[in-house]
């Protein structure tokens, strides 16, 4: 553009400071044309005029002041490529913009000024490429003035670090935060004279210092970075508004040697399918071919893939906006669009699903693959499609369905994050001590998964294990097999082994037992009716919470005691709860007592102080016959003694004697009971004497499976202490399981790709939404499904399933798995993951060619890609590893490809398979 003098009647009122702030008409014109402005020294000294168009003399010190400010401040063009991401908060009317450009120095002289419809962002930069592109030095302050999509309320806007908070003036949604002053010119593949790099080089806009009524004349050159010569493979892609997901994916396809060979050789033009109703009339293929040529021409430093984005949006409308999207989702739609536009099948025949029906896998697989090729045959199928063997089994009729399905990528799940879970294992033999061990389980593991880990460590069948959570001597929780445990480090978790019904050849009864004191420690010592103190008091055997001199006092007190007796449910718990099991035919009262005594010995100490010995004196009174809840009491326990209780115990000074539990005793039936067995609920509460378990002699007790029982210690007799039951400070004796701890926590925190590939082929049960129709049962069933690799593609895309989407009642939630994955750069062997019947002649070794990475959360983040250009025969690398970050492309070391935030992995099969394929089908290409 020619030099022009800025003159006029109002020029005397406009200073150079107005030009720097962008308030002059000329500055606005420059912004609208999107053209950088260059000030020359001659302009400052000779092209300044007054209102009569007469030259105005300029002093040397004024010129030097202007020149100094020109060197220290530079105004960037509005279309400058400053990387940023954004999202909206519609409920608050806010737009959040996050600057993610690493070239900006946010720690020094960074500021943001808010105007009604634009921002003024000032910063320094130490990036060599940035300084070379826009001029200046590390001391230069750059100013970027992006025009906002709509008006804002400046006084309600703010910024903190990299984040800028914009308050919209109205609630109209924004498509994107910024809009350029004018549409950028289209990029061209070449120029007429080959000197476009020099002619179209962008010049920055320096900022002038304020001079009294002085006005320089500006030279304006158009801003255009097309035609800038770069090395092949170093062309970046412009971010046109949250399109980093698209740019990172496109760079991986652009740097695919096979697609490079195919599109640059114009072979796609011969195979464009313009009549395919599933395609876009060949437009996507032709547009991608044009993209490929511009990316490898070496004449564009940056290319804008806006046309390709619009075409993909026609096929998938979710990409029509400028919101953030999943790179894998975009890749799927793009590959499918390219496939349909390049499908060699013009008229697709009707086909049926090929099922095994008992035939050999190779025969069924080949038939299914040929059926797939009858409708789908393109360069995308040749390079990216493989085959999976799918096995479905009905849980009702056990019908098995085997099919062979094509795939274009492998979505591999993350192993569940694991943690150490501490449990105490109780063997089925009650005389064996408990074992303390630590097992490695997933953070959100189910009961079945925890029991499987315990069973593996203790060599026990998981189906014979029961798990409970203990708190304050009670069963706080009985775990069900399918529920998530969520065991905390301080939880007390017991795992009990029970008898296997298949080994016992009969039903096995399981009982959940808590230990309690039959009498409160504070009760006894006097009659509840006459308050007489005596050592021969008898207890109410319904509630065991009242003592009487005899039946007369009990009858007199019954009207008052009746209501309290029926509501009594208070218990003092001791020791630890436990689980016992016994075959139903052997579930006698004596056997239960023996098992319970054996279990108790590890958690309680039982002492017996000196007590009067009178076997004919009962220790409990039956409840009044007036109550409808009266129970039958054995005759020897129902007798009352009306004699005066004047005797006192002897040998009070004798030491208490500790009882040895678990030994075979024949005297428990003859008035020397240590405890009584009563029914209770899950909370360990018993109400009413009818809950006492009856002794049927040699006949099994009348109890249901998985009943809750209370082992109630006879801690008092005749109102005086009879047994002293103390809880042990810890289980004794307690064995420590050797070698039960996990080998290393690193393996679970950083899963291996091979482990994830193994998880991909594990059998899973379909959810109700994925139910399969069984033609034998004539209904949809939640079948078991297993997928396994059968035919490997030349180019293997592996998706690490980082993003998790869950839906519930009026709730949608998404999260991201942030763990790094250990994956190989070379020598990925896929043979261990192939089906046993897969062909043996296929190459199974793969090498990495690229990776797409995602940093951030599931709601906000940024995509980049790292890749190399390999040769067709995969034995060499034509262009080494590069980092593709939108418009920025830079060389990196090979180790950078081992990224912690990898999301998509691109592997290439070794050998000359793709080279032979391409040279055979397209021999004319160089």
């Amino acid at each position: 553009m020619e030099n022009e003098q800025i003159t006029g009647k109002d020029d005397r009122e406009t200073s150079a400071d107005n030009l720097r702030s962008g308030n002059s008409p000329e500055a606005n014109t420059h912004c609208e044309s999107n053209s950088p402005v260059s000030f020359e020294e001659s302009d400052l000294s000779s092209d300044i005029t007054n209102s009569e168009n007469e030259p105005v003399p300029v002093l040397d010190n004024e010129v030097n002041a202007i020149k100094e400010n020109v060197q220290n401040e530079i105004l960037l063009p509005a279309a400058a490529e400053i990387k940023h991401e954004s999202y909206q908060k519609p409920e608050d009317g806010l737009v959040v913009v996050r600057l993610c450009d690493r070239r900006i120095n946010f720690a020094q002289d960074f500021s943001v000024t808010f105007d009604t419809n634009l921002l003024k962002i000032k910063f320094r930069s130490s990036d060599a490429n940035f300084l070379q592109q826009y001029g200046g030095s590390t001391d230069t302050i750059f100013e970027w003035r992006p025009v906002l999509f709509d008006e804002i309320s400046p006084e309600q806007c703010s910024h903190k670090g990299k984040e800028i908070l914009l308050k919209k003036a109205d609630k109209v949604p924004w498509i994107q935060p910024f809009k350029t002053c004018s549409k950028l010119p289209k990029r061209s593949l070449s120029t007429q004279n080959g000197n476009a790099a020099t002619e179209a080089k962008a010049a920055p806009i320096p900022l002038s210092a304020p001079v009294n009524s002085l006005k320089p004349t500006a030279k304006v050159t158009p801003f255009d970075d097309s035609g800038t010569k770069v090395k092949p493979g170093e062309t970046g892609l412009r971010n046109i508004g949250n399109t980093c997901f698209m740019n990172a994916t496109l760079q991986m396809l652009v740097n695919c040697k096979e697609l490079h060979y195919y599109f640059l050789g114009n072979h796609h033009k011969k195979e464009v399918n313009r009549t395919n109703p599933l395609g876009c009339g060949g437009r996507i293929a032709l547009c991608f071919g044009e993209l490929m040529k511009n990316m490898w021409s070496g004449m564009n430093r940056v290319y804008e893939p806006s046309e390709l984005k619009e075409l993909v949006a026609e096929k998938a409308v979710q990409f029509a906006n400028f919101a953030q999207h999943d790179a894998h989702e975009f890749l799927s739609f793009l590959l499918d669009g390219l496939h349909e536009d390049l499908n060699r099948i013009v008229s697709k025949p009707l086909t049926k699903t090929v099922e095994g029906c008992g035939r050999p896998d190779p025969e069924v697989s080949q038939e299914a693959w040929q059926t797939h090729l009858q409708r789908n045959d393109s360069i995308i199928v040749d390079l990216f499609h493989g085959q999976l063997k799918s096995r479905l089994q009905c849980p009702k009729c056990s019908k098995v369905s085997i099919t062979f399905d094509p795939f274009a990528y492998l979505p591999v799940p993350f192993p569940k994050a694991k943690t150490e879970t501490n449990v105490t294992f109780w063997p089925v033999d009650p005389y064996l001590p408990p074992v303390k061990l630590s097992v490695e389980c997933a953070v959100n593991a189910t009961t079945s998964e925890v029991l499987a880990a315990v069973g593996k460590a203790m060599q026990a069948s998981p189906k014979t294990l029961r798990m409970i959570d203990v708190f304050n001597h009670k069963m706080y929780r009985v775990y069900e097999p399918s529920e998530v445990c969520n065991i905390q480090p301080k939880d007390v978790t017991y795992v009990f082994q029970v008898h296997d019904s298949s080994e016992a050849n009969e039903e096995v009864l399981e009982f959940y037992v808590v230990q309690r004191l039959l009498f409160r420690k504070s009760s006894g010592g006097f009659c509840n009716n006459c308050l007489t103190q005596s050592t021969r008091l008898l207890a109410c055997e319904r509630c065991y919470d009242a003592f009487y001199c005899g039946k007369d006092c009990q009858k007199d007190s019954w009207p008052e005691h009746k209501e309290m007796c029926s509501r009594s449910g208070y218990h003092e718990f001791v020791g630890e709860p436990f689980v016992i099991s016994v075959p139903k035919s052997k579930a006698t009262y004596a056997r239960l007592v023996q098992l319970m005594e054996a279990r108790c010995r590890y958690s309680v100490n039982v002492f017996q102080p000196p007590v009067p010995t009178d076997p004919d004196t009962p220790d409990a009174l039956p409840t009044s016959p007036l109550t409808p809840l009266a129970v039958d009491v054995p005759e020897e326990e129902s007798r009352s003694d009306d004699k005066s209780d004047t005797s006192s115990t002897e040998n009070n000074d004798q030491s208490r004697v500790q009882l040895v539990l678990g030994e075979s005793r024949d005297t428990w039936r003859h008035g020397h009971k240590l405890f009584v067995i009563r029914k209770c609920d899950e909370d360990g509460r018993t109400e009413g004497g009818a809950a006492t378990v009856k002794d049927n002699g040699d006949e099994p007790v009348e109890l249901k499976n998985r009943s809750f029982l209370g082992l109630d210690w006879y801690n008092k007799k005749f109102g005086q202490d009879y047994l002293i039951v103390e809880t042990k400070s810890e289980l004794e004796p307690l064995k420590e399981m050797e070698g039960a701890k996990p080998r290393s926590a690193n393996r679970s925190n950083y899963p291996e790709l091979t482990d994830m590939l193994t998880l991909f082929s594990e059998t899973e049960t379909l959810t109700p939404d994925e139910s399969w129709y069984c033609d034998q049962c004539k209904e949809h069933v939640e079948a078991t499904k297993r997928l396994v690799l059968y035919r490997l593609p030349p180019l293997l895309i592996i998706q690490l399933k980082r993003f998790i989407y869950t839906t519930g009642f009026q709730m949608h939630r998404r999260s991201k798995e942030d763990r790094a994955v250990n994956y190989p750069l070379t020598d990925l062997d896929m043979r261990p993951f192939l089906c046993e019947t897969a062909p043996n002649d296929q190459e199974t070794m793969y090498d990495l060619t690229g990776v797409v990475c995602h940093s951030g959360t599931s709601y906000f983040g940024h995509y980049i890609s790292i890749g190399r250009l390999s040769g067709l025969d995969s034995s060499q690398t034509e262009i080494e590893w590069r980092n593709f970050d939108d418009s920025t492309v830079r060389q990196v070391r090979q180790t950078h490809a081992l990224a912690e935030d990898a999301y998509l992995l691109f592997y290439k099969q070794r050998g000359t398979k793709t080279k032979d394929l391409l040279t055979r089908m397209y021999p004319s290409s160089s």
Side-chain angles (χ1 to χ4, degrees):
M1 181 180 293
E2 298 180 357
N3 294 350
E4 57 183 55
Q5 291 185 338
I6 304 174
T7 61
K9 185 175 182 179
D10 297 330
D11 289 349
R12 288 186 296 269
E13 301 175 1
T14 306
S15 66
D17 182 53
N18 292 334
L19 178 61
R20 181 176 63 179
S21 62
N23 295 329
S24 66
E26 291 74 21
N28 292 334
T29 303
H30 302 155
C31 181
E32 291 172 2
S33 65
N34 206 18
S35 303
V37 182
S38 175
F39 295 98
E40 295 185 357
E41 183 176 346
S42 59
D43 298 330
L44 299 176
S45 59
S46 60
D47 290 341
I48 303 176
T49 62
N50 58 13
S51 59
E52 285 77 18
N53 288 332
E54 296 178 356
V56 177
V58 181
L59 300 179
D60 293 339
N61 58 346
E62 294 175 336
V63 175
N64 293 335
I66 297 176
K67 291 170 60 179
E68 181 178 357
N69 281 276
V70 167
Q71 295 174 356
N72 292 334
E73 295 188 14
I74 293 180
L75 176 63
L76 299 178
E81 298 165 11
I82 303 299
K83 297 184 181 64
H84 62 275
E85 302 284 356
S86 64
Y87 64 94
Q88 300 187 45
K89 294 182 178 180
E91 64 279 2
D92 300 326
L94 297 176
V95 176
V96 181
V97 179
R98 182 175 182 269
L99 301 178
C100 50
D101 200 313
R102 300 177 181 176
R103 301 172 298 178
I104 296 178
N105 185 353
F106 293 94
Q108 185 180 10
D109 295 331
F110 178 79
S111 65
V112 180
T113 304
F114 301 94
D115 202 346
T116 304
N117 50 16
L118 62 83
L119 300 180
K120 299 177 183 178
I121 303 174
K122 292 185 178 182
F123 59 90
R124 294 179 185 267
S125 178
S126 58
D127 185 88
N129 294 332
F130 185 87
L131 298 177
Q132 181 180 3
Q133 178 182 357
Y134 295 108
S137 64
T138 55
D139 296 329
T140 303
I141 295 180
F142 296 92
E143 182 175 340
W144 182 46
R145 298 178 183 175
V147 180
L148 297 174
F149 183 82
D150 206 340
E151 293 186 355
I152 60 174
S153 301
E155 65 279 358
Q156 301 183 42
C157 300
S158 62
H159 80 93
K160 182 178 180 182
K162 302 179 181 180
E163 287 196 354
I164 302 174
L165 196 65
L166 303 177
K167 177 66 175 178
K168 297 186 293 185
D170 51 42
K171 295 185 178 181
V172 177
W174 291 12
I175 299 178
Q176 56 185 339
F178 306 135
K179 58 181 179 181
T180 55
C181 296
S182 64
K183 189 173 181 181
L184 295 175
K186 286 191 175 182
R187 277 47 179 169
S188 60
L189 181 62
S190 60
T191 57
Q192 283 184 336
N193 54 14
N195 295 326
T198 303
E199 295 175 359
K201 184 176 180 180
I205 304 178
L207 302 179
S208 60
V211 181
N212 294 333
S213 301
L214 300 181
K215 197 166 189 180
T217 301
K219 275 189 175 181
V220 180
T221 57
F223 174 77
D224 187 6
D225 56 8
S226 63
T228 302
K229 292 184 178 180
V230 295
K231 294 180 181 180
E234 293 189 0
T235 299
L237 291 170
R238 175 172 283 110
N239 191 320
I240 55 179
N242 288 331
T243 56
C244 57
F245 69 94
M246 176 179 69
N247 294 344
T249 303
L250 288 177
Q251 288 286 13
M252 291 296 93
L253 298 182
V254 166
N255 283 272
C256 173
K257 182 61 179 179
E258 287 72 18
L259 296 180
H260 175 276
Y261 179 99
Y262 179 77
F263 282 96
L264 293 187
N266 290 325
H267 302 296
H268 63 289
K269 295 182 179 179
K270 303 175 184 177
E271 296 185 338
V272 168
N273 189 333
R274 302 183 184 276
T275 61
N276 187 355
L278 300 179
C280 292
R283 291 182 296 157
I284 289 182
L286 294 174
C287 182
F288 186 83
E290 189 67 21
L291 167 72
M292 184 75 77
K293 291 181 180 179
N294 280 278
M295 294 294 288
W296 288 102
S297 67
M299 301 304 295
N300 299 291
R301 187 184 61 81
V302 180
Y303 184 79
E304 184 176 306
S306 55
E307 185 178 354
L308 182 63
K309 179 181 181 297
E310 294 173 359
L311 290 175
V312 175
E314 291 183 14
K315 186 176 180 64
V317 293
Q318 62 266 37
F319 299 110
N321 55 27
F322 291 90
Q324 299 189 33
H325 293 284
D326 189 341
H328 169 258
E329 185 180 9
F330 178 82
L331 175 64
S332 299
F333 280 104
L334 178 58
L335 288 180
D336 185 62
L338 288 174
H339 158 66
E340 296 296 350
D341 272 7
L342 298 172
N343 200 341
R344 304 179 185 111
I345 307 299
V346 178
S347 177
K348 295 185 177 182
L350 295 177
T351 58
K352 294 183 179 180
T353 302
V354 179
E355 293 201 26
C357 300
R359 293 183 295 165
D361 284 353
E363 177 184 342
V364 182
S365 168
Q366 185 62 26
E367 181 181 346
W369 185 252
Q370 293 301 323
T371 302
H372 174 61
L373 294 181
Q374 290 178 20
R375 295 177 57 86
N376 304 277
D377 186 14
S378 68
I379 186 65
I380 304 300
V381 174
D382 297 336
L383 298 177
F384 295 97
H385 281 207
Q387 194 177 41
L388 293 169
K389 177 183 177 181
S390 173
R391 184 183 187 275
L392 287 165
Q393 184 171 5
C394 177
K396 296 183 177 180
C397 66
S398 299
K399 178 190 175 180
V400 176
S401 173
I402 294 179
T403 57
F404 290 83
D405 306 315
F407 73 92
Y409 59 90
L410 284 182
V412 295
F414 274 76
K416 295 180 179 179
K418 294 186 178 181
T419 183
E420 291 185 21
T421 302
N422 298 319
V423 301
T424 301
F425 175 78
W426 298 72
V428 66
D429 187 347
Y431 296 99
L432 294 178
V435 179
K436 185 177 181 180
L437 72 154
S438 177
V439 294
E440 190 181 58
C441 299
V443 174
N444 56 344
T446 63
T447 303
S448 299
E449 293 171 339
V450 175
L451 294 181
V454 174
K456 182 178 181 180
M458 301 304 301
Q459 298 182 351
S461 174
K463 68 178 182 180
T464 63
L465 302 180
R466 307 292 181 264
M467 188 165 67
I468 64 173
D469 184 31
V470 177
F471 177 72
N472 199 21
H473 311 293
K474 295 189 294 184
M475 292 186 187
Y476 182 76
R477 180 181 179 187
V478 177
Y479 291 97
E480 297 297 329
S482 59
E483 69 174 314
V484 177
C485 300
N486 194 23
I487 300 175
Q488 301 301 315
K490 294 184 179 180
D491 290 350
V492 179
T493 307
Y494 292 159
V495 176
F496 293 89
Q497 185 182 17
V498 299
H499 289 284
D500 191 347
S501 58
S502 61
E503 296 180 359
N505 294 322
E506 62 174 310
E507 182 183 358
V508 173
L509 300 181
E510 302 172 14
F511 302 112
Y512 295 80
V513 185
V514 292
Q515 301 183 64
R516 308 177 298 189
L517 297 181
L518 188 59
F519 302 96
R520 286 188 299 162
K521 293 180 181 180
S522 60
S523 64
F526 58 88
C527 176
N528 279 35
N529 184 49
C530 63
L531 304 181
T532 300
Q533 292 186 353
S534 173
T535 58
R536 292 302 230 190
L537 297 175
L538 302 177
C540 171
E541 68 173 7
R542 161 174 284 198
C543 64
Y544 293 95
D545 204 26
F547 290 88
Y548 301 99
C549 299
K551 286 187 177 181
D552 293 338
C553 284
Q554 183 192 21
K555 291 181 179 180
D556 293 342
S557 178
W558 177 247
E560 180 181 352
H561 176 66
K562 177 181 178 181
E563 184 176 357
M564 186 273 290
C565 183
S566 63
R567 292 193 314 231
S568 177
Y570 173 79
H571 303 281
E572 294 183 14
F573 294 86
V574 294
E576 298 297 312
F578 53 85
V579 179
I580 59 174
S581 65
V582 61
K584 188 174 182 178
S585 61
K586 298 179 181 180
T588 62
Y589 194 92
R591 180 59 177 163
L592 293 184
V593 170
Q594 187 179 12
L595 293 174
M596 290 181 181
E597 285 189 1
R599 283 284 192 226
C600 292
R601 65 192 300 179
Y602 301 109
S603 62
V604 296
N605 288 321
V606 181
F607 302 91
Q608 188 171 35
V611 294
T613 57
D614 187 357
D616 294 332
T617 303
D619 59 351
L621 282 172
T623 54
S624 171
L626 300 176
T627 172
L629 297 177
V631 297
D632 296 331
V633 182
E635 185 177 348
E636 63 269 23
E637 294 188 9
S638 301
R639 293 196 299 267
S640 62
D641 189 353
D642 297 330
K643 296 182 181 180
S644 175
D645 296 328
T646 57
S647 61
S648 60
T649 60
E650 299 178 355
N651 302 325
N652 287 334
D653 296 334
Q654 296 181 3
S655 301
R656 62 183 185 177
V657 179
Q658 181 173 357
L659 301 181
V660 180
L661 301 177
E663 294 184 349
S664 178
R665 301 188 303 113
D666 297 328
T667 58
W668 65 271
R669 290 188 186 179
H670 303 290
H672 294 284
K673 289 184 178 180
L674 298 180
F675 54 80
V676 63
I677 303 174
R678 296 199 295 168
K679 300 176 184 177
C680 65
D681 58 17
E682 296 181 4
D683 297 326
R685 295 171 55 89
T686 297
E687 296 183 3
T692 303
V693 178
K694 294 183 179 181
D695 180 8
N696 297 330
D698 295 333
E699 295 295 325
V701 294
E702 297 178 359
L703 292 173
K704 296 181 180 179
N705 185 32
R706 304 196 72 175
S707 296
F708 288 84
L709 302 177
L711 186 158
D712 295 340
W713 292 99
Y714 270 110
N715 59 316
K716 291 182 181 293
K717 194 171 186 180
F718 308 126
Q720 304 299 317
D721 290 340
Y722 175 63
L723 295 178
I724 298 176
V725 184
E726 296 179 349
T727 302
K728 293 183 178 181
S729 58
E730 60 181 13
L731 296 177
E732 296 179 0
L734 182 64
K735 293 175 58 179
E736 188 81 23
M737 181 66 180
E738 296 181 0
K741 290 190 176 182
R743 295 170 294 175
S744 172
N746 294 332
R747 186 172 180 83
S748 60
N749 293 334
Y750 298 94
E752 300 285 343
L753 177 61
T754 52
D755 295 337
M756 300 171 69
L757 288 169
T758 301
L759 286 175
F760 173 79
S761 296
E762 284 190 351
T763 303
E764 62 177 351
T765 302
L766 299 179
T767 63
D769 295 336
E770 302 169 333
S771 58
W772 170 67
Y773 182 78
C774 177
D775 55 7
Q776 287 190 2
C777 298
K778 305 300 181 183
E779 62 177 333
H780 287 85
V781 295
E782 298 174 22
T784 57
K785 182 178 181 180
R786 182 172 185 261
L787 297 174
V788 62
L789 286 166
Y790 195 88
R791 188 190 303 266
L792 296 172
L795 303 179
L796 177 62
I797 301 175
I798 299 177
Q799 177 205 12
L800 308 180
K801 297 179 67 175
R802 291 192 178 275
F803 299 104
I804 304 170
Y805 300 90
T806 55
T807 58
F809 180 71
Q810 296 182 346
M811 181 189 71
H812 299 273
R813 180 176 176 270
R814 54 183 178 178
S815 58
K816 181 188 175 185
E817 175 61 74
D818 290 322
R819 282 180 293 167
V821 177
N822 295 324
Y823 54 90
L825 283 172
T826 59
D827 303 326
L828 174 62
D829 189 3
M830 298 297 293
R831 185 169 298 279
F833 315 107
L834 284 175
C835 179
E836 298 84 358
T837 58
N840 295 324
D841 58 347
Q842 55 183 330
E843 177 61 54
T844 60
M845 299 299 293
Y846 283 81
D847 298 317
L848 187 71
T849 60
V851 54
V852 173
C853 307
H854 179 270
S855 59
T857 68
S858 58
Y859 294 90
F860 185 93
H862 182 61
Y863 282 100
I864 66 168
S865 55
I866 305 170
R868 65 184 176 95
L869 181 68
S870 66
L872 281 178
D873 58 359
S874 75
S875 62
Q876 60 181 349
T877 299
E878 296 185 3
I879 303 179
E880 291 294 339
W881 293 92
R882 287 145 295 149
N883 180 295
F884 304 99
D885 188 355
D886 288 334
S887 58
T888 303
V889 181
R890 57 188 177 90
Q891 297 282 342
V892 294
R893 296 180 180 178
Q894 185 183 30
T895 54
H896 283 68
L898 298 175
E900 293 187 355
D901 51 3
Y903 178 44
L904 298 176
L905 303 178
F906 293 78
Y907 279 95
K908 182 175 180 178
Q909 197 176 47
R910 286 185 182 176
T912 60
K913 183 176 181 179
T914 57
K915 180 179 180 180
D916 297 340
L917 171 70
L918 294 174
T919 54
R920 183 182 71 253
M921 298 187 65
Y922 314 105
S924 60
S925 178
S926 56

